Amino acid sequence: MSLRTIQNWLKWRNDWDSLCNRCGKCCYSRSRRPDGRVVIHYNRPCVYLDTETHLCTIYDDRFRVCKSCGKVNLFTALCHPTLPEDCAYARTFRRQKGQKEKCGGDIRH
């Protein structure tokens, strides 16, 4: 893990959710093309996503209520293959567009 990654983590660890830019893209079904690009299926949002505001309607209970909701943590920000590059977490923690930390194998969501 790079020094930059560690410094960013120390900066954001106590205020993690405020890093989110509220785009809502992580609340839609996503896949990856063979060329590595992320495809966001805007016709398949999470049932709890308010598509007008891009906010979760069950935010405080989302991990308990929604089985498909996955917490974005440092590892996810660095390595998850379907987290869009323009996600604030990905932009903050990935070195350059398309470049990721060594993540140790395939990651499934």
Side-chain angles (χ1 to χ4, degrees):
M1 190 171 299
S2 72
L3 179 59
R4 177 184 171 272
T5 300
I6 294 167
Q7 289 170 331
N8 275 339
W9 170 244
L10 291 172
K11 176 182 175 183
W12 290 104
R13 69 180 172 170
N14 293 323
D15 203 18
W16 187 251
D17 286 343
S18 70
L19 182 57
C20 177
N21 60 354
R22 312 292 187 268
C23 68
K25 291 179 182 177
C26 61
C27 298
Y28 288 89
S29 177
R30 302 174 312 276
S31 60
R32 262 179 81 171
R33 293 183 149 184
D35 64 5
R37 289 186 300 157
V38 175
V39 177
I40 299 168
H41 305 284
Y42 290 107
N43 61 335
R44 296 193 324 228
C46 173
V47 297
Y48 302 109
L49 178 67
D50 180 328
T51 57
E52 298 277 324
T53 65
H54 304 283
L55 299 176
C56 179
T57 60
I58 58 163
Y59 186 81
D60 291 335
D61 295 317
R62 66 195 183 278
F63 302 124
R64 184 179 56 77
V65 175
C66 182
K67 302 302 179 206
S68 63
C69 187
K71 184 164 182 61
V72 177
N73 56 31
L74 179 59
F75 186 76
T76 306
L78 288 168
C79 302
H80 200 285
T82 63
L83 194 63
E85 291 291 332
D86 60 345
C87 166
Y89 294 106
R91 280 196 329 261
T92 301
F93 291 100
R94 293 181 187 170
R95 294 178 183 172
Q96 298 173 10
K97 186 174 182 172
Q99 182 182 0
K100 298 182 178 92
E101 295 281 337
K102 292 183 181 176
C103 296
D106 189 26
I107 303 165
R108 306 267 182 220
H109 182 64

